[in-house]
Amino acid sequence: MKHSRISLALLALLVTGLPTRASANPTELLGFGSRGPGMGNAMVATPDALSAPIYNPAAGVLGTGDYEFGLNYTYARVAIDVNGRDPNTLPVRGFSLAGAIPFDIGGAHLSFNLAAYAPDQFLLRAHTVPGTEQRLVMWDNGPHRLVVNATFAVRIADWLSVGFGASILGSVRGNQVDFQLDADPAGTRAESVLSIDFPIIAAPIVGVIVTPIPGLRLGARFSDELGLDVVLNVTAQVRVPGTPVDGDFDFQFRGPSGFTPRELVLGGSGDIGRFTLSAELAWRQWSRVNQLTALVGVDVNLGAPVPTTSFEEGDPNLRDTWTPRFGVEYRHPLADNRELQLRAGYWFAQTPVPIQTGVTNYADANRHSGTLGATYAFDFSGARVGLEAAFQLQYMERRVSIKDDPTTSGGDLSVGGPVYVLSLGARVSL
């Protein structure tokens, strides 16, 4: 039992301040580490054990064969404007950590792989605004979230590798909040009881890589959807002696806190001399999202008339998307067993958000992304070290939504502009 001074205004702020939005996670928007972002994130059939849990778990057994560890830092400046104004979107900042532990059982070659992205500002950003307010629906909360993927891979034959694992996330759910408020000449007294669960949720990931001939790889990955929902019932019992105010305030709050869509990726990569060429196509099932903002119901019985309004969002009509990605890597040997690897890539991200014609103002549009990357690899004290960097220029196409009713909240909606992404890191093979 907790005693505190509280008001109905604070209670309303508690409810409306909870996370209520579905959006992409940071690895979907930016990629993981430095090698993948340098190659346009076309990595579903590219042998890289450190990024395997994100791009394709089957690649976990296609690394160097040694223990591998990696650390990266990513910074992204979101310069997209909404109606010519800065929407005050936070920059994306965070660390990527990865490890690959290969081992043998009998004659089978296996690997355990772990990849995590952790924002350096907070593990999960909880922020919301009404569905009628103009905002970047994919960039406000989505990039500011912890991502942890753990996978196993096994090489069944020289031509076949498979992998499986899970994307893991911790959630917070408030089951019930009860408040009792009393007022008398001595002051205001309040008592509250809060019941919270901390469930762990996970989505399966499976992948396969087939090598029909040396130097050619065909890959596929499937990951299921991962949704975070908030369900909260708040009951406030209010009594003010000497007035007719004596009764209950009931809030029913239900909405998504985050959503990673079901995804299927198909692609291939091939080695031609010192070059590696990669291409893939990703499908994401955004149409499964039927809510982007919270449904808030209010039931007031205080013995006196109190105006209330409940907001219910219509179906946002998100559409499934197709994302093509292309990448190339060139390896240039140097003296003393050193090597310079240069990368470039392109990917096109189709938006799932339709043109806005009604009361909602979800700002988003298609994005074109050009990427560059490099690794300087060398031997140091018995280990193989790689210093890496990648740069992305993502540009959101200018898109204008003309409202059916020009007096609708927010009016017409224009969105577009660049996102600048820089990744720096290192990897070590032992």
Side-chain angles (χ1 to χ4, degrees), residues 37-54:
M39 292 188 67
N41 292 309
M43 297 287 288
V44 73
T46 300
D48 183 42
L50 286 183
S51 61
I54 301 296

Side-chain angles (χ1 to χ4, degrees), residues 13-137:
L13 180 62
L14 168 68
V15 175
T16 58
L18 290 170
T20 61
R21 194 165 315 146
S23 51
N25 70 44
T27 60
E28 293 172 343
L29 290 168
L30 306 176
F32 181 81
S34 294
R35 187 180 184 192
M39 292 188 67
N41 292 309
M43 297 287 288
V44 73
T46 300
D48 183 42
L50 286 183
S51 61
I54 301 296
Y55 294 113
N56 189 342
V61 288
L62 302 181
T64 64
D66 301 320
Y67 297 143
E68 296 185 66
F69 304 94
L71 174 66
N72 287 81
Y73 185 79
T74 297
Y75 176 86
R77 177 176 176 265
V78 182
I80 300 169
D81 71 82
V82 178
N83 281 359
R85 297 188 298 271
D86 181 2
N88 296 316
T89 305
L90 293 177
V92 183
R93 311 194 316 248
F95 290 93
S96 300
L97 303 95
I101 310 295
F103 58 96
D104 295 325
I105 298 180
H109 182 51
L110 302 93
S111 180
F112 171 72
N113 304 78
L114 183 68
Y117 173 84
D120 69 358
Q121 304 172 78
F122 22 58
L123 295 183
L124 173 64
R125 185 180 187 229
H127 167 74
T128 185
V129 294
T132 55
E133 185 171 324
Q134 299 168 352
R135 66 182 187 270
L136 293 173
V137 66

Side-chain angles (χ1 to χ4, degrees), residues 92-301:
V92 183
R93 311 194 316 248
F95 290 93
S96 300
L97 303 95
I101 310 295
F103 58 96
D104 295 325
I105 298 180
H109 182 51
L110 302 93
S111 180
F112 171 72
N113 304 78
L114 183 68
Y117 173 84
D120 69 358
Q121 304 172 78
F122 22 58
L123 295 183
L124 173 64
R125 185 180 187 229
H127 167 74
T128 185
V129 294
T132 55
E133 185 171 324
Q134 299 168 352
R135 66 182 187 270
L136 293 173
V137 66
M138 292 293 165
W139 289 91
D140 45 16
N141 283 344
H144 310 291
R145 189 168 65 175
L146 176 69
V147 177
V148 179
N149 285 16
T151 60
F152 282 95
V154 56
R155 178 174 288 176
I156 298 176
D158 290 341
W159 58 274
L160 177 62
S161 299
V162 298
F164 60 92
S167 183
I168 306 166
L169 191 62
S171 181
V172 177
R173 174 166 295 188
N175 293 326
Q176 183 73 31
V177 181
D178 291 320
F179 287 92
Q180 294 185 2
L181 292 88
D182 292 283
D184 58 30
T188 301
R189 299 184 304 277
E191 295 181 348
S192 65
V193 178
L194 176 62
S195 175
I196 297 179
D197 291 337
F198 297 90
I200 300 296
I201 58 177
I205 309 168
V206 295
V208 61
I209 293 181
V210 176
T211 306
I213 59 174
L216 177 62
R217 295 165 296 274
L218 304 176
R221 175 179 62 83
F222 171 81
S223 56
D224 207 356
E225 65 186 42
L226 184 64
L228 298 177
D229 293 325
V230 174
V231 178
L232 186 61
N233 300 312
V234 180
T235 300
Q237 298 175 353
V238 183
R239 183 172 64 88
V240 182
T243 74
V245 177
D246 189 352
D248 298 333
F249 242 89
D250 290 323
F251 295 83
Q252 301 84 39
F253 182 95
R254 176 170 55 87
S257 172
F259 183 82
T260 298
R262 182 174 292 142
E263 183 178 40
L264 176 65
V265 186
L266 302 174
S269 71
D271 302 326
I272 305 175
R274 298 178 180 176
F275 289 89
T276 294
L277 306 177
S278 299
E280 66 185 45
L281 183 64
W283 168 80
R284 287 182 175 146
Q285 194 179 20
W286 286 103
S287 59
R288 291 268 296 172
V289 178
N290 56 18
Q291 185 181 347
L292 287 178
T293 55
L295 303 182
V296 180
V298 181
D299 185 14
V300 180
N301 182 18

